[in-house]
């Protein structure tokens, strides 16, 4: 399977050539519907060849996100939750799960939550190698599980064991590992690729089987239901905002008509009709404005509640401060050393190693930037818990670029960034890798850095 990447305006795409013998019904179903858990897919024709374009903006591949770092328990759980969600969505749309591309390099995840989005690729004999593909994914999760968090390893091992038994949905693994409570007599069954819906009994019951009350729902179904409600709230805020703009435009037209009736070819209205029209527009504006404010506040409240819950869970696990006392002292010593050289210097690399290493230097909002490239890979971006070199610029992506060392030479890769990575003025394609030479200018969006090999 030949995969390429390209950027277009503010969007990044993964491109796969379409198989000529593909089932068009599956293709049309995915293209026409915004299915949760699937990358948005479109069909483009180039020189009589057809290609699938998958929208991957603001996401990282599973293998790229966890290159050089471990998968925490919460990340592992969210990823497997997301897989269950995708399986259920495909079941609802009567799409075969064996047409998902199960490859850590092609599964794209949200950087913050690790919730996955899969590429749906319709092609003949799709299920021929699926057992090996799922086993590859299970091995990846097991190898990258956080060694310091026993729960992460246990969850990965449970999923690996279920894959070995031919069960590809992670729901049972989540229950067995205690990530969700086991539920007796729910009627839930696992669907393997060797079973048809009739054989498994799934065709005789609803596609989604939520229980009547929150107390009777499993934690998994409650998670998925809340996720859908939050998505609906976001859509409602957007619709209310659009209505607000349309009514505001109507109000402007109304005022222009009152001031100069000859501007528009409307029939002449008397004073009473003008007043009635103005009152209707004002009332509509007030109602929509109230709805917009209510929905926006509800959305913000949900965000604050989620952040509070995450903070409380971290406190319960004694994870309030990820730095040890030794790491804090080491960081403060490095910061003091930098300030002696230049009072305006901001040190963003938290390493205390003194060995010779390549570096990046530049300026950001009047302050000096200096990064010692002492990790492999060394991630540049604005998200502090994911990037090794933090750049506080809104135009920089959360994980923007990665610098790696191979055979004594340094290379930079664009990590599917929104505003691009440039070497000496040339923009890299999404996920493209290029060599770095001494004194090259590396542009991370609007931040310019000088690369030095030692």
């Amino acid at each position: 399977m030949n995969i390429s990447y390209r950027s277009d305006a503010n969007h990044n795409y993964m491109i796969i050539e379409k198989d000529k013998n593909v089932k068009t019904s599956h293709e049309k179903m995915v293209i026409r519907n915004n299915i949760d858990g699937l990358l948005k897919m479109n069909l483009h024709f180039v020189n009589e060849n057809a290609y699938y374009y998958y929208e991957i903006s603001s996401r990282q591949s599973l293998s790229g996100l966890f290159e050089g770092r471990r998968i925490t328990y919460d990340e592992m759980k969210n990823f497997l939750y997301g897989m269950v969600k995708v399986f259920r969505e495909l079941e609802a749309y009567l799409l075969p799960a064996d047409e998902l591309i199960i490859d850590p390099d092609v599964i794209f995840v949200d950087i913050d939550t690790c919730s996955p989005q899969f590429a749906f690729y319709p092609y003949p004999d799709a299920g021929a190698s699926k057992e090996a593909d799922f086993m590859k994914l299970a091995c990846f999760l097991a190898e990258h599980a956080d060694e310091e968090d026993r729960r992460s390893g246990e969850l990965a091992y449970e999923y690996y064991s279920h894959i070995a038994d031919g069960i590809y949905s992670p729901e049972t693994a989540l229950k067995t590992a205690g990530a969700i409570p086991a539920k007796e007599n729910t009627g839930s069954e696992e669907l393997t690729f060797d079973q048809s819906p009739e054989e498994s009994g799934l065709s005789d019951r609803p596609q989604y089987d939520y229980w009547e009350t929150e107390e009777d729902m499993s934690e998994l179904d409650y998670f998925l239901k809340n996720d859908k409600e939050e998505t609906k709230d976001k859509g409602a805020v957007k619709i209310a905002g659009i209505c607000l703009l349309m009514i505001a435009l109507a109000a402007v037209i109304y005022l222009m008509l009152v001031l100069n009736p000859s501007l528009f070819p409307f029939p002449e209205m008397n004073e009473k009709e003008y007043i009635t029209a103005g009152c209707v527009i004002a009332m509509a504006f007030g109602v929509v404005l109230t709805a917009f404010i209510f929905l926006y506040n509800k959305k913000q409240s949900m965000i604050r509640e989620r952040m509070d819950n995450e903070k409380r869970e971290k406190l319960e696990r004694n994870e309030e401060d990820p730095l040890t006392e030794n790491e804090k002292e080491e960081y403060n010593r490095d910061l003091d050393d930098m300030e002696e050289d230049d009072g305006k210097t901001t040190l963003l690399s938290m390493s205390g190693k003194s060995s010779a290493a390549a570096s990046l230097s530049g300026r950001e909002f009047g302050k000096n930037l200096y990064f010692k490239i002492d990790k492999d890979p060394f991630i540049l971006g604005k998200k502090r818990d994911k990037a090794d070199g933090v750049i506080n610029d809104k135009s920089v992506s959360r994980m923007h670029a990665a610098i790696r060392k191979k055979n004594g030479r340094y290379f930079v890769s664009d990590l599917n960034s929104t505003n691009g990575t440039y070497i000496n003025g040339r923009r890299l394609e999404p996920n493209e890798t290029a060599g770095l030479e001494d004194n090259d200018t590396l542009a991370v969006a609007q931040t310019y850095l000088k690369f030095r090999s030692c």
Side-chain angles (χ1 to χ4, degrees):
M1 185 182 298
N2 186 22
I3 299 176
S4 60
Y5 300 88
R6 66 162 295 184
S7 59
D8 180 13
N10 292 327
H11 301 278
N12 295 332
Y13 300 97
M14 178 178 68
I15 305 170
I16 305 177
E17 186 172 2
K18 174 185 174 181
D19 191 289
K20 295 180 180 179
N21 299 316
V22 73
K23 298 177 181 179
T24 57
S25 59
H26 295 170
E27 169 191 289
K28 291 179 180 178
M29 181 69 75
V30 176
I31 292 175
R32 292 176 179 177
N33 295 280
N34 187 18
I35 301 177
D36 287 344
L38 296 186
L39 293 170
K40 186 177 180 181
M41 183 176 78
N42 285 299
L43 187 63
H44 293 257
F45 292 89
V46 181
N47 298 328
E48 298 183 356
N49 293 323
Y51 296 87
Y52 293 122
Y53 275 54
Y54 298 90
E55 171 77 55
I56 58 173
S57 300
S58 301
R59 287 184 172 265
Q60 293 292 325
S61 67
L62 180 65
S63 59
L65 182 60
F66 295 104
E67 182 182 9
R69 60 179 294 258
R70 296 292 182 174
I71 306 175
T72 67
Y73 172 71
D74 287 336
E75 290 170 333
M76 186 79 71
K77 184 170 68 171
N78 286 345
F79 179 81
L80 295 177
Y81 273 151
M83 285 190 67
V84 175
K85 182 178 178 179
V86 171
F87 275 52
R88 292 189 176 189
E89 287 292 302
L90 293 178
E91 183 184 334
Y93 283 93
L94 303 180
L95 291 169
D98 54 3
E99 291 185 0
L100 295 176
I101 301 180
I102 307 299
D103 187 335
D105 293 334
V106 183
I107 300 171
F108 286 82
V109 295
D110 183 271
I111 296 175
D112 294 322
T113 64
C114 200
S115 59
Q117 280 195 320
F118 293 82
F120 188 89
Y121 181 64
Y123 60 103
D125 300 324
S129 62
K130 280 304 163 187
E131 182 177 353
D133 292 342
F134 274 94
M135 183 59 71
K136 178 181 177 181
L137 173 62
C139 289
F140 178 89
L141 296 176
E143 291 170 358
H144 289 78
D146 189 354
E147 297 174 349
E148 297 181 359
D149 190 339
R150 177 176 52 84
R151 299 174 301 166
S152 178
E154 289 178 350
L155 186 52
Y157 175 76
E158 285 296 336
Y159 182 57
Y160 178 90
S161 300
H162 283 77
I163 293 295
D165 293 336
I167 301 174
Y168 300 101
S169 174
E171 185 168 357
T172 302
L174 286 163
K175 292 178 180 178
T176 305
I180 55 175
K183 181 72 178 178
E184 297 180 1
N185 301 323
T186 61
S188 177
E189 299 177 39
E190 295 292 342
L191 178 63
T192 68
F193 288 108
D194 295 330
Q195 293 177 301
S196 67
E198 291 76 19
E199 291 171 338
S200 63
L202 290 175
S203 60
D204 298 326
R205 58 188 175 88
Q207 303 291 349
Y208 288 89
D209 189 16
Y210 295 120
W211 287 268
E212 294 297 326
T213 64
E214 292 184 3
E215 289 77 12
D216 291 334
M217 284 193 297
S218 70
E219 183 182 341
L220 175 64
D221 283 331
Y222 186 54
F223 174 87
L224 297 178
K225 180 181 178 182
N226 283 349
D227 187 57
K228 285 182 174 289
E229 290 177 350
E230 185 174 350
T231 302
K232 290 180 180 178
D233 287 337
K234 291 180 180 178
V237 172
K238 291 181 180 178
I239 293 173
I242 293 172
C243 292
L244 195 62
L245 291 175
M246 293 178 64
I247 296 174
L249 179 61
V252 171
I253 295 175
Y254 172 78
L255 291 176
M256 294 175 66
L257 184 62
V258 171
L259 297 174
N260 191 351
S262 63
L263 285 176
F264 302 96
F266 295 146
E268 294 186 0
M269 294 189 297
N270 56 41
E271 182 179 356
K272 183 177 181 181
E273 290 173 333
Y274 272 122
I275 294 174
T276 302
C279 290
V280 170
I281 292 174
M283 290 176 63
F285 185 83
V287 171
V288 175
L289 178 62
T290 303
F292 178 81
I293 294 174
F294 171 77
L295 292 171
Y296 180 80
N297 289 336
K298 182 180 179 182
K299 176 184 173 184
Q300 295 300 314
S301 177
M302 292 178 66
I303 293 174
R304 287 194 297 269
E305 182 179 356
R306 175 171 289 186
M307 292 176 65
D308 290 342
N309 289 338
E310 290 177 354
K311 185 175 181 180
R312 183 166 55 252
E313 289 177 0
K314 287 183 178 180
L315 289 173
E316 290 174 353
R317 297 196 303 267
N318 296 321
E319 295 179 357
E320 183 175 10
D321 193 340
L323 295 179
T324 64
E325 291 299 325
N326 290 336
E327 288 174 332
K328 290 179 183 177
E329 293 176 2
E330 194 172 21
Y331 172 65
N332 290 331
R333 285 198 302 270
D334 286 340
L335 187 59
D336 292 339
D337 293 340
M338 288 297 296
E339 289 177 347
E340 288 177 3
D341 294 334
D342 187 336
K344 296 182 178 179
T345 299
T346 301
L347 176 64
L348 297 176
S349 176
M350 294 172 55
S351 171
K353 298 179 182 179
S354 59
S355 59
S359 64
L360 292 168
S361 59
R363 291 184 69 81
E364 173 194 55
F365 303 119
K367 293 184 178 181
N368 290 339
L369 288 179
Y370 176 78
F371 302 116
K372 184 164 64 174
I373 304 173
D374 53 2
K375 291 184 179 180
D376 191 3
F378 187 89
I379 306 298
L380 295 169
K382 67 182 177 186
K383 189 168 178 59
R384 292 186 175 275
D385 61 339
K386 297 291 190 298
D388 304 303
V390 180
I391 303 174
N392 296 310
D393 185 342
K394 291 183 179 180
S395 66
V396 174
S397 296
R398 291 170 294 178
M399 292 178 65
H400 195 106
I403 297 176
R404 300 177 177 87
K405 188 177 182 180
K406 184 177 180 180
N407 297 328
R409 188 182 176 191
Y410 287 90
F411 296 84
V412 62
S413 302
D414 179 82
L415 296 180
N416 192 26
S417 64
T418 300
N419 293 307
T421 303
Y422 300 79
I423 298 179
N424 299 326
R426 184 182 77 83
R427 179 168 181 167
L428 303 182
E429 291 292 339
N431 295 303
E432 180 184 351
T433 298
L436 281 171
E437 302 295 341
D438 201 29
N439 292 318
D440 275 351
T441 298
L442 176 65
V444 181
Q446 298 177 352
T447 299
Y448 291 83
L449 301 167
K450 183 69 72 175
F451 172 77
R452 299 193 185 280
S453 58
C454 60

